[in-house]
Every structure is written in C-alpha cells, then in structure tokens.
Amino acid sequence: MDWYTKVLKNYVGFSGRARRTEYWMFTLVNVIIGGVLNVLYNVTHSSIFYVLYVLYFLAVLLPSIAVGIRRLHDTNRTGWWLLIGLVPFVGAIVLIVFFATEGNRGANQYGEDPKALEAGASPATA
C-alpha cells in the first residue's frame, strides 16, 4: 500500500523517475478498486457506485499520468511518449512494453536511479 500512497502524495510530480514496482503497484490497486466499484454497481444497479467509480477515476487521473511520465523517464524516454497510447491497440501495447522495461541504471537526464537510491547506494556508486 506504500507504493500507492507514495504516488498519491506526489500526484502532480511530473519530473523525476519511477520504478517499475511503483508504477505497477499503483496500477494494480487502481484496477482492484475500479473492479470492485464496477462489480458493486452491476450487482446492485445503484447509481451511487457508478458515481463513486467516476469520482475515483477523476481523482486518480493526474496521479496516473504523472507516474506514467515518471516511469517513461526511468527508461530514458520523454513523457510525450505517453501520447502514443492514443493510437488504438498498438499504442497500448507499446506503452505496456515501455512500462515493463527495466529502467536505466545510474543517473540519466531525468534524475538519479530510484532503485539505487532505495537500496541505500550513493548516487556516485550506482
């Protein structure tokens, strides 16, 4: 749950880098919460769950974009690559590959290696 709250605390932080774990755990929690709200809506047909689903989607929209951009930065790509997701089918596949790719070791133009920083290594030795 720490990965999820870490992204929410940095909800408009578009600079820097995000590890794969940070991105995928945030995505997993979003899918679970969205799925639960969707199932509750389909079972009860109560519009409150639909409203909660829409409000939740709007609440995590900016953090999702920000962590996606930071994840692309970790692979030494500009955040503008996120727009390839607008290309039907192919764009989503390309983004999944980019998000699943291991980040660059050491510092790149977007900052220090977050994996090395979390492991306690100094930026000079990573």
Side-chain angles (χ1 to χ4, degrees):
M1 200 59 153
D2 291 336
W3 294 107
Y4 183 77
T5 56
K6 180 180 177 183
V7 172
L8 290 180
K9 288 177 185 175
N10 193 15
Y11 73 100
V12 288
F14 295 98
S15 62
R17 296 167 63 174
R19 292 183 56 190
R20 280 186 293 189
T21 307
E22 180 180 346
Y23 175 81
W24 287 112
M25 292 306 286
F26 181 75
T27 302
L28 176 66
V29 171
N30 282 336
V31 167
I32 290 171
I33 292 172
V36 167
L37 289 172
N38 190 20
V39 167
L40 289 172
Y41 170 70
N42 287 327
V43 169
T44 64
H45 299 291
S46 172
S47 61
I48 188 69
F49 291 114
Y50 180 75
V51 170
L52 287 175
Y53 179 80
V54 170
L55 289 176
Y56 179 75
F57 171 78
L58 292 174
V60 296
L61 181 62
L62 272 179
S64 298
I65 293 170
V67 76
I69 289 173
R70 289 195 312 270
R71 179 70 204 124
L72 289 168
H73 286 173
D74 193 40
T75 61
N76 208 22
R77 291 180 178 85
T78 179
W80 289 105
W81 273 103
L82 202 59
L83 294 176
I84 201 168
L86 297 174
V87 177
F89 190 65
V90 175
I93 292 172
V94 170
L95 280 178
I96 289 171
V97 170
F98 286 171
F99 292 150
T101 303
E102 184 178 4
N104 290 52
R105 293 183 185 255
N108 66 16
Q109 64 182 344
Y110 301 105
E112 297 295 330
D113 184 1
K115 189 180 257 186
L117 292 174
E118 286 180 15
S122 68
T125 61

